[in-house]
Amino acid sequence: MRVISGTCKGKQLKSVPGTSTRPTTDKVKEAIFNMVGPYFNGGRALDLFAGSGGLGIEALSRGIDTCIFVDREPKAIQTIHKNIESCHFKENSEVYRNDSERALKAIIKRELKFELIFLDPPYKKQKLEQLIDFIAEHDLLAEDGVIVAEYGTEDQLQENIKTYTVLKHETYGTTAITIYGKDNSQF
């Protein structure tokens, strides 16, 4: 697992020890950033089921200003800190050990909006549509922001969730990627 492009191109990232976390493959990560980027002129990202932090770190490497990393597993949090440090993104990152719902409620209180939100929950325990609904209800996405949902191909997501609509959808083996944005997005 490595950073594919940007300021940290080629940097190796540590994986979360054990089998509880499934990292996004480099091939899928590259495809995601080809769909939503590939580079950014600032902005804020949220990596909600961060695991090793690979998606958020890739966004930082490609020009996102700041990223909030959230995971509930202690081993994941330790790995995120190590990867952020090795890429010199400590000043651009916030890391929280929390579950997704509580993290989103804390973000609402801070009145933050994001240009990029990554939702990559464990495939068997997902509640992606409810999370996207919650994000829409509380208007956490910037005007031209996107939500990147990664999930197993055996699942299906709705075409429209509140004010968000599917902008792109691709499958890579057993992994599906759906990009959501606001109905009026310039994506």
Side-chain angles (χ1 to χ4, degrees):
M1 201 170 52
R2 63 188 170 85
V3 178
I4 296 165
S5 191
T7 59
C8 289
K9 181 179 180 176
K11 186 81 162 161
Q12 290 294 322
L13 298 176
K14 296 189 179 308
S15 296
V16 178
T19 58
S20 63
T21 302
R22 169 201 39 77
T24 300
T25 66
D26 286 350
K27 176 185 171 188
V28 172
K29 187 169 29 171
E30 187 165 14
I32 287 170
F33 283 91
N34 284 338
M35 285 191 270
V36 300
Y39 299 99
F40 308 96
N41 291 317
R44 182 181 287 126
L46 172 63
D47 195 346
L48 195 54
F49 298 87
S52 66
L55 291 171
I57 289 170
E58 187 74 33
L60 288 167
S61 181
R62 291 172 182 248
I64 284 286
D65 289 326
T66 60
C67 185
I68 296 176
F69 298 85
V70 178
D71 205 289
R72 65 179 188 188
E73 298 296 328
K75 287 179 184 175
I77 296 299
Q78 290 172 352
T79 304
I80 293 165
H81 279 294
K82 287 177 187 170
N83 286 334
I84 287 169
E85 220 166 282
S86 78
C87 291
H88 308 287
F89 286 137
K90 246 181 140 173
E91 299 297 314
N92 311 75
S93 304
E94 296 177 41
V95 182
Y96 299 102
R97 182 173 172 234
N98 214 334
D99 67 50
S100 57
E101 289 88 2
R102 289 178 64 195
L104 287 174
K105 288 176 183 172
I107 286 167
I108 290 165
K109 288 180 183 173
R110 290 175 63 187
E111 298 181 5
L112 299 177
K113 288 188 186 276
F114 298 90
E115 281 70 28
L116 199 50
I117 299 176
F118 298 106
L119 301 177
D120 182 12
Y123 284 3
K124 300 295 179 211
K125 303 174 186 168
Q126 54 173 293
K127 44 193 172 215
L128 279 171
E129 289 181 348
Q130 296 96 311
L131 285 170
I132 295 168
D133 186 271
F134 189 86
I135 290 166
E137 184 178 322
H138 296 281
D139 198 27
L140 300 180
L141 197 60
E143 207 50 48
D144 286 328
V146 293
I147 297 171
V148 177
E150 182 178 337
Y151 54 98
T153 52
E154 68 277 0
D155 295 318
Q156 296 289 316
L157 294 182
Q158 296 175 41
E159 184 75 22
N160 298 294
I161 301 176
K162 287 229 164 63
T163 58
Y164 300 154
T165 190
V166 172
L167 304 175
K168 291 187 180 182
H169 174 80
E170 297 289 338
T171 57
Y172 304 91
T174 60
T175 301
I177 303 294
T178 299
I179 312 292
Y180 283 93
K182 294 185 178 182
D183 287 342
N184 61 349
S185 176
Q186 302 299 310
F187 183 74

